Structures are given as structure tokens and as C-alpha cells.
Amino acid sequence: MILFNEQTKTFHLKTAKTSYLMKVLESGHLVHLYWGKALHTDNLDYAVRRRDFFSFVANTDNVQEFHLEALCQEYPGYGSTDLRSPAVELEYADGSSATDFRYVSHTITAGKPKLAGLPATYVESDDEAQTLEITLLDKVKNVEIVLSYSVFDAYDAIARSAKIVNKSADTVKIQRVLSANIDFKDSKFDMIQLSGSWARERHIIRTPLRNGGQCVESRRGASSHAQNPFMALVRPDATENTGDVYAVSLVYSGNFLANTEVDMYSNSRLQIGINPFDFTWQLKAGETFQAPEAVIVYSGEGLTGMSHIYQNLYGKRLMRGYWRDKVRPVLINNWEATYFDFDEVKIKAIAKQASEFGIELFVLDDGWFGERNNDDRSLGDWIVNENKIHGGLKKLVDEVNAMGLKFGLWFEPEMVCPISKLYEAHPDWCLHIEGRIRSTARRQLILDLSRKEVCDYVIEAVANVLSSANIEYVKWDMNRNMTEIGSAALPPEQQRETAHRYMLGLYRIMDELTTKFPHILFESCSGGGGRFDPGILYYMPQTWTSDDTDAMERLAIQYGTSMVYPTVSMGCHVSAVPNHQVHRNTPFATRGICAMCGNFGYELDLTKLTETEKQQAKSQVAFYKEVRELIQFGDFYRLQSPFGSNECAWSFVAKDKSEAIVSFFRKMAEPNCAFATVYATGLDKDAKYKDMRTGEVYGGDELMQVGINVPYAITSSPKPMEGESNMYAGMIADAIQGDYGAFIWHFKKVD
Ligand code: DGJ
């Protein structure tokens, strides 16, 4: 709900549990008043404090004791009397850069409008959200900023964005236009970021906020493996389940900045948006620039509270389409099984084995097109290689379908290899700067998606393949970052628009293809999780979480990813040992339990499994199918963090609390170790739950307060579970022994 108090000129944005207040001062400046737990009031005038400073803080409008720099700003400009980090920075035709934006008008409407050309959260009916648009004007230059706030009551979140409208007769150069700015009147916070690298994505880092600037950003042309477009400021005493958390998440897949600043009076500022680094935009007279959407979330219930808000909103009002609410198929992907070395015979053998395990989807990965027998050529030439797939794609797809499996196909549509027919025909279609080397990565260049004709080619080439056979799933890969960013089609003054124009082109491609093929399940990938961001989730409802398939590494990656992203968005596979990324040998059971933290699948040569492993795989698939609705669409709880700890635990609880899965992992065996206990969360404390493996019944209160005993086998050997009717048969033994152990419990409410 959005309220406006005419007398005090105060906006009060209310969600189910939160309040966000701002006010128009008499001078027209828009100041921020409050964000946090719900308030009743719509007048916080006393929060706008005025006082004198000894020196160095300029008077706003030359009024004594009126200092913008000492007040919380809603969307600060630069060069006037707030000298902190701005949200917007412009260069006007006369070369000046001072801005002064003041309130002109506002509207409050039901629902939420779309963001032109950009992914964004949405409503299914107008009563799900209200939208406030506040127009600010720099009168001297006749340039407007429209700040937009869509308040999702039930989801407890606010989606923000900003657009610049050039009403002047001159071109304005945009140098910085962030999507959200939030000022706090103290700096007692820790900062949480999700950082890492290829094969080590989204590790949780928590550090105290300090004076000056601290930021995470991407300059890589993608949201990246290194940083995620997310940041949270949390009170130092905030935990998983308690305390104040203030978070921002950007619905964008390119270069971004998530920034904090603590000023000399210990006020802090939190910002997120397109990275101003290497970005400018020529906004001609009459034109509008739309910044991406930022979703801001306050939780008074710790990090779990924050994650649940993001997971629910992104799962239901960012992801779209046919697959949004559908359980996702168990898949087998041939990448780590064969790499480039396959033909249709090998593929069919793996598919056959998969069908016997109850697997539902076969995914043919890289290497099926052009002359691609390794990674040195053919990206861009999306024509099936009949020397490998004898008889063609349709025949293979039909045969796999006849085994009872859906068929999926890998693409990397944004790329071109210098050795390819596409590059021969169009050498200027890649991102490049005339006269400079075109640096390859994985022996490929990036197509210039800022150009319409290049996007049109990509749409047509992919659509042709998708229409040629019964393809029901696409893995959309992207395996390098941008260098020498330039476009042959843009004039010199617009070269620094290329990276953002690329994203707009990419979003158009994804929009057109997902609209044209609404029943295809699209999974995005960028060398694993190099573009695991809300922007891509809008088009593709699942992402390959990481190229690192090692179960122990995955604990940290999946745990970190769950901070923002729904379980149903994460692709997680069982792969071979020694693991191909870290050469670790983990038990098959542990790999299975770990991969059951999202969309479950396999990525190894199933024909090479031992008889015991085959039995285990069958049990895993059967068990996962039994519980996948709960895993994919239940509430995810982080129970024990793998960061800096030998143990890790998480759980999934059905929305109606009727059922739960608890998973526990021990990295290294310890001699003479202590008892281990896992404390469940989120259950119905008054209900009874049956352990489906043992038949034992416990109170929900017991499972949460007394805890669940982790069975460690110290001296005896764990016994494998047996029996055809026992779903656990082969999947887990009755106790954990040795390194890299895991255990899983399934509880169901009983009367
Ligand atoms: C990187 C992906 O993350 C892998 O899963 C695989 O698809 C390869 N690319 C194929 O080149």
C-alpha cells in the first residue's frame, strides 16, 4: 500500500511487515526518512534534523542549518550541496556536471508497469502491487528523473527503478544512473556480498562496514562469477533467523556496481545499478533512458527472512512462463561423460541407461554442430554435424524420445569462433575496436549484440534448430567475458554504450526465443554460474549453478546461491570421481544428497557405473521424484554454514509444513569425534512428524529444539539399506563413516 500525506508531503510505502518513508521538503528536495519494521505513522518530520556545522558543509539554498549532506537523500545528484557518492551524474552540453533535482509531481497507480526492454518483476493482477512514480526536475537544464517504486505487499518487497527524461533541446551525457540509493543515519552494519570465481561462485563474505567506500562490481560484461549483483547491510548481531537485514539485488546481467559509503558523520549509503565504469549514454533531446530494476528487501528476521522474500518473489513474480510452477525433470547431461568425443551411438547408450534409472531428460551438450570436435571452432555455425550425429538431429531426438526421455540441446548463441563460417562471412559482427587485437578467450569472440542484424541472425539460427526436431530443453551457455568492447555500428561518442546495448540486444533475443518456444525449458549457464542473476532468471527459469560438480565445493556454492535465488532455479548434478574440477573422491551417496538441493541430474557416463552405483542411482532418482515438489518449491532453510566449518546442513520445508527434508554433510572424518546434532527449522511445533526411513515419530518442537541425532559409525561398518520397497535402499547407509559423508532425513506430518 502507498500512502501520501498531503500536509506533510510524506510518502509511506507499506508492505506486510515493512515501512519505507520519504518526504518532499519545502525546498522540493526528496529526503529519505525511514526503512525497516512496519510503522503506523505517516509523519516523521522530526527525523529531518537541522543543525549547524563548524565548517566545510555547504548550506543548501544558502539557508543556515539546512545541509543536504547531513540528511538522508532519496536519489542524490552531484555537484550541488551533497558531495557524497551520487546516484546520478550527468554531463550537460555546456560541460557542467552539477545537478539539482527537485520534486515536481507524483502518481500512485494500481499494479506495476513493464520496464521497456528490460527484465523486471511483474504482477499477475493489479491488486498485487501499487506503483509510485515521483518526477524530479533539474529546472536549470530541463532534465527529469522519474523514480519508480512498486510495492509488493504480500511478498514484502519493493521494486525500484529510475528513468531519465531529456526535456531539453540538447544532448545530455549520462555518466551514472543507479537504480536505487538508500541512506542510513548510522554505520553500524556488516556488509554481505556473494563473491568467488569460476568453479567457486557466490561464497558468502561478511565484513564490518568501514569509513569510506566499499563496493563490489563487475567490469566483465556479465554479472560474473566474481561478484553477484547483490549486497546486504546487516546489523552486527544479525543471524540466520534474527536481526535486521537490508538488501539490494539488481535485475540485470551486465556490468553492475553495488556500492556503500560511510561518510564523515557515520551516515551510510547503499547503492546498486549499472556500473558507471566505462559507461556513458548520449541522451538526445526528447529521449528517455530506463535504468534496470533493483529489488530492495528489509527483513527483521535475519538472513533466512531476507532469502525467503527474494526466493518467493523471484520464483513467482520474476520467473515466467510454462515452467515457472512445474516440477523440473531429472536430467542426464553428456558433457562430463564424453566432452566432445561422442557420436549418436554413444549418446543413445547413455540415454538408454538413463531411461532405465527413471531419468526424464537427455541433454546433448557442446560439440553437435559445425566442425566442433574441440573448443577451437564453429561457434556461430548452428548446423548439426552429421559426421557425428549420423542420420541427423531429428532422428536422434526421435530415438531418444522413444526411450521415454525428453531431448535437450546446448547452444552458445552469443559467440563466434574466428574459425567458423559465420566469422568468414561477417568479421565485423563481433565486439572489437578497429586497429586493436581481438583477444580470444576459449578461442572465441563475442557477437556484437548491440546490432539488430546480429541479434536477428542469432534468433533465426537458434529457432531453425529448435523447429527442426522435438527439442524440449535448451542449455544456453556463455563462456567468456568482454574485452576490447566496441561496436563497428556505433559512432565514436556512443562506443561506451556498447556493453549496455549488448544486454538490451541479448534480452530481446531471449524474449523472442522464449516467447516463440513457450514450452521449451531454458536453463542458462555461463561456464556454470557466471551469469546467475535475476536478469537472466526472468527469461530462463533455471541456471547451471557452477561448473564445479564436486559435492564438497558445491556445499559452499549452493549455500551461497540460496541467499537470493530459489532452489528451483539451481541446476545440480551428480558427476564422476575423481571429480573433474578438484580430483576429489566423494561417495556416490554424498554426491546424490548434495545434488538434491535443486534441479537434480547426472553428468557422467551412466554406462560405466558399477552395479552398486546403478542401484544407488535408481534409488536416488526414485527418491528425488517422490520429494522434488517439496525441494523445488518448499522453503529452504540454511541450518549449518559450510564456511569455516567441517559440517553443513540445510533443509526444505513444504509451504504447509506437512513435510520436510533435512540434509547433513561432514567434510572430513574426525577421530574420536563428538556427537553431532542438526536442529530443524520452520516445522509446525505442535505437529508430529514421522521419519520416513525408520518410522520413528517425533514432535516438530523436538526436531527443532532437541534436534536430530546424526548417526556416525565410528568402529562398526555402516549397513546398507536393503529391500526393493525401501526407497532408501542403496541411496544411503544407516550411518556416516569416513570423509565426505552425508545423511538425509525425510519427515512427514502424521496425525
Ligand atoms: C561450460 C559449461 O558450464 C559446461 O557445462 C559445458 O556446457 C561447457 N561449457 C561446454 O563447452
Side-chain angles (χ1 to χ4, degrees):
M1 185 197 305
I2 299 171
L3 303 173
F4 180 62
N5 180 332
E6 273 292 345
Q7 247 110 53
T8 62
K9 302 275 183 264
T10 302
F11 297 100
H12 188 165
L13 282 48
K14 290 182 167 192
T15 69
K17 293 188 189 161
T18 75
S19 285
Y20 186 105
L21 285 98
M22 52 197 154
K23 174 185 170 73
V24 182
L25 300 181
E26 269 172 33
S27 60
H29 293 104
L30 185 64
V31 292
H32 178 77
L33 298 174
Y34 174 83
W35 184 32
K37 245 176 220 123
L39 292 175
H40 294 295
T41 185
D42 55 3
N43 178 7
L44 285 182
D45 278 0
Y46 62 89
V48 186
R49 289 187 287 184
R50 296 186 175 198
R51 63 169 243 225
D52 225 348
F53 286 81
F54 284 111
S55 201
F56 285 100
V57 180
N59 293 325
T60 301
D61 291 345
N62 286 335
V63 174
Q64 206 63 24
E65 298 194 348
F66 178 25
H67 308 285
L68 277 191
E69 184 151 359
L71 294 175
C72 292
Q73 298 297 299
E74 191 55 32
Y75 196 77
Y78 176 75
S80 179
T81 56
D82 182 354
L83 301 179
R84 294 171 289 178
S85 185
V88 59
E89 209 184 335
L90 305 176
E91 187 182 314
Y92 292 116
D94 62 4
S96 68
S97 59
T99 53
D100 184 359
F101 286 98
R102 305 203 188 194
Y103 172 88
V104 179
S105 62
H106 74 267
T107 57
I108 298 173
T109 49
K112 180 177 192 290
K114 289 193 163 166
L115 247 59
L118 286 165
T121 54
Y122 60 90
V123 290
E124 286 198 330
S125 67
D126 278 354
D127 57 2
E128 288 182 357
Q130 262 187 315
T131 298
L132 164 67
E133 289 197 336
I134 304 176
T135 302
L136 309 174
L137 174 71
D138 185 340
K139 217 161 61 186
V140 174
K141 296 296 184 185
N142 208 15
V143 170
E144 274 180 8
I145 290 183
V146 182
L147 302 179
S148 149
Y149 303 79
S150 294
V151 178
F152 286 89
D153 286 29
Y155 288 98
D156 244 329
I158 301 176
R160 290 182 57 172
S161 65
K163 75 182 173 214
I164 303 188
V165 186
N166 183 1
K167 297 213 152 165
S168 77
D170 299 314
T171 297
V172 174
K173 195 200 271 185
I174 303 173
Q175 288 179 316
R176 179 181 181 104
V177 51
L178 300 183
S179 302
N181 178 97
I182 302 143
D183 283 0
F184 300 87
K185 56 187 185 190
D186 71 84
S187 61
K188 293 181 199 92
F189 290 110
D190 288 345
M191 176 178 125
I192 294 185
Q193 64 195 74
L194 300 175
S195 302
S197 73
W198 174 80
R200 211 163 12 85
E201 299 94 333
R202 292 172 298 287
H203 283 209
I204 301 169
I205 300 177
R206 179 170 177 164
T207 41
L209 202 59
R210 55 172 163 70
N211 256 57
Q214 261 168 290
C215 73
V216 297
E217 61 183 317
S218 170
R219 293 184 293 269
R220 311 186 70 85
S223 50
S224 88
H225 299 90
Q227 309 293 351
N228 200 255
F230 160 83
M231 183 177 276
L233 295 185
V234 307
R235 292 300 181 189
D237 62 358
T239 65
E240 261 307 326
N241 300 306
T242 61
D244 291 333
V245 175
Y246 304 85
V248 290
S249 158
L250 190 67
V251 187
Y252 189 59
S253 315
N255 293 337
F256 75 91
L257 170 72
N259 187 39
T260 62
E261 185 180 25
V262 177
D263 70 11
M264 51 192 168
Y265 303 105
S266 294
N267 302 302
S268 28
R269 180 163 277 183
L270 173 63
Q271 309 178 310
I272 198 161
I274 292 181
N275 199 340
F277 179 86
D278 201 21
F279 165 85
T280 60
W281 193 274
Q282 299 285 324
L283 194 66
K284 301 204 181 74
E287 285 183 350
T288 295
F289 180 88
Q290 175 66 63
E293 175 165 293
V295 176
I296 66 168
V297 164
Y298 162 77
S299 156
E301 288 149 25
L303 291 167
T304 297
M306 172 201 75
S307 298
H308 283 179
I309 294 171
Y310 277 124
Q311 289 162 352
N312 290 333
L313 181 71
Y314 286 177
K316 295 295 177 203
R317 293 296 178 267
L318 178 65
M319 289 180 183
R320 300 174 300 163
Y322 177 80
W323 282 98
R324 185 188 70 185
D325 304 325
K326 298 252 176 335
V327 290
R328 309 292 165 81
V330 179
L331 69 79
I332 167 72
N333 177 304
N334 74 306
W335 178 241
E336 288 198 15
T338 65
Y339 294 103
F340 293 103
D341 181 19
F342 62 82
D343 59 13
E344 83 287 357
V345 177
K346 226 184 221 181
I347 292 307
K348 281 190 282 184
I350 297 175
K352 182 91 201 14
Q353 187 65 83
S355 72
E356 284 162 19
F357 295 162
I359 292 172
E360 300 156 308
L361 163 67
F362 179 89
V363 181
L364 181 58
D365 211 281
D366 196 354
W368 57 267
F369 53 91
E371 293 165 4
R372 194 157 166 94
N373 295 318
N374 59 47
D375 64 10
D376 73 348
R377 66 190 61 206
S378 291
L379 291 175
D381 300 343
W382 301 108
I383 306 287
V384 67
N385 179 353
E386 296 213 15
N387 293 325
K388 263 172 139 170
I389 316 274
H390 301 99
L393 192 59
K394 183 170 184 327
K395 183 163 180 287
L396 175 63
V397 174
D398 289 346
E399 284 171 358
V400 170
N401 283 168
M403 295 173 196
L405 291 147
K406 294 179 193 295
F407 190 91
L409 199 59
W410 179 97
F411 289 88
E412 196 175 357
E414 299 162 60
M415 300 290 155
V416 61
C417 285
I419 307 177
S420 67
K421 295 206 163 46
L422 181 65
Y423 193 73
E424 265 170 40
H426 299 286
D428 68 331
W429 272 18
C430 61
L431 293 178
H432 68 282
I433 297 172
E434 221 32 71
R436 289 198 185 276
I437 193 166
R438 299 175 180 195
S439 305
T440 54
R442 210 191 187 209
R443 295 184 271 189
Q444 62 199 53
L445 298 165
I446 304 183
L447 285 173
D448 179 0
L449 301 188
S450 74
R451 296 174 66 168
K452 182 173 180 304
E453 65 276 30
V454 180
C455 296
D456 290 344
Y457 167 80
V458 170
I459 294 168
E460 200 191 326
V462 174
N464 283 345
V465 180
L466 295 183
S467 313
S468 72
N470 185 28
I471 294 161
E472 296 179 81
Y473 163 105
V474 165
K475 179 175 175 188
W476 184 291
D477 207 347
M478 193 284 276
N479 281 305
R480 62 159 295 179
N481 290 142
M482 293 180 185
T483 55
E484 295 93 29
I485 303 170
S487 171
L490 288 171
E493 67 278 12
Q494 285 186 278
Q495 286 296 321
R496 288 180 143 200
E497 297 176 9
T498 309
H500 180 60
R501 285 187 182 275
Y502 177 97
M503 294 318 308
L504 298 178
L506 175 65
Y507 290 147
R508 175 169 81 85
I509 293 173
M510 290 187 166
D511 205 43
E512 291 204 12
L513 284 171
T514 52
T515 307
K516 197 169 162 56
F517 299 97
H519 296 298
I520 290 185
L521 172 58
F522 283 84
E523 174 154 351
S524 81
C525 171
S526 172
R531 222 168 39 184
F532 202 136
D533 60 59
I536 299 287
L537 273 190
Y538 178 72
Y539 304 98
M540 308 198 166
Q542 54 188 65
T543 300
W544 177 224
T545 312
S546 176
D547 270 353
D548 195 335
T549 54
D550 174 69
M552 292 300 104
E553 296 302 314
R554 275 294 186 120
L555 297 180
I557 295 167
Q558 292 167 189
Y559 202 89
T561 305
S562 78
M563 275 279 158
V564 182
Y565 302 98
T567 310
V568 71
S569 67
M570 291 190 224
C572 307
H573 302 170
V574 172
S575 63
V577 292
N579 173 266
H580 294 192
Q581 291 77 39
V582 294
H583 303 280
R584 187 178 281 135
N585 284 292
T586 53
F588 199 83
T590 299
R591 281 176 269 156
I593 295 173
C594 182
M596 287 184 201
C597 178
N599 301 317
F600 185 63
Y602 292 83
E603 188 156 338
L604 74 175
D605 190 342
L606 296 175
T607 63
K608 295 196 176 135
L609 295 183
T610 63
E611 281 313 310
T612 313
E613 286 171 337
K614 283 183 182 168
Q615 171 60 35
Q616 281 179 301
K618 240 187 200 168
S619 309
Q620 286 171 344
V621 174
F623 177 73
Y624 182 76
K625 283 183 177 170
E626 177 83 12
V627 295
R628 71 175 144 188
E629 184 147 10
L630 158 64
I631 289 181
Q632 295 174 3
F633 299 109
D635 286 331
F636 183 77
Y637 289 92
R638 292 176 294 267
L639 303 179
Q640 272 179 254
S641 170
F643 296 99
S645 156
N646 194 36
E647 295 169 349
C648 170
W650 56 57
S651 76
F652 310 87
V653 179
K655 294 269 181 212
D656 64 0
K657 299 186 188 298
S658 60
E659 212 178 336
I661 291 278
V662 177
S663 308
F664 172 87
F665 305 86
R666 177 176 71 174
K667 295 178 189 167
M668 305 305 292
E670 284 175 306
N672 200 19
C673 62
F675 288 118
T677 310
V678 189
Y679 296 91
T681 316
L683 302 180
D684 177 351
K685 69 175 172 36
D686 301 318
K688 296 264 180 237
Y689 289 89
K690 180 161 146 191
D691 179 335
M692 299 305 290
R693 187 179 59 92
T694 62
E696 297 287 336
V697 175
Y698 304 91
D701 53 354
E702 293 167 47
L703 295 171
M704 295 192 289
Q705 289 150 231
V706 182
I708 305 162
N709 296 342
V710 177
Y712 281 158
I714 305 297
T715 47
S716 60
S717 294
K719 287 187 223 41
M721 306 290 297
E722 278 168 4
E724 274 296 301
S725 60
N726 185 343
M727 253 193 326
Y728 295 86
M731 199 176 90
I732 48 171
D734 66 355
I736 293 177
Q737 192 173 51
D739 293 341
Y740 317 127
F743 210 82
I744 193 164
W745 294 263
H746 180 199
F747 296 103
K748 271 192 184 173
K749 215 176 195 177
V750 285
D751 297 328

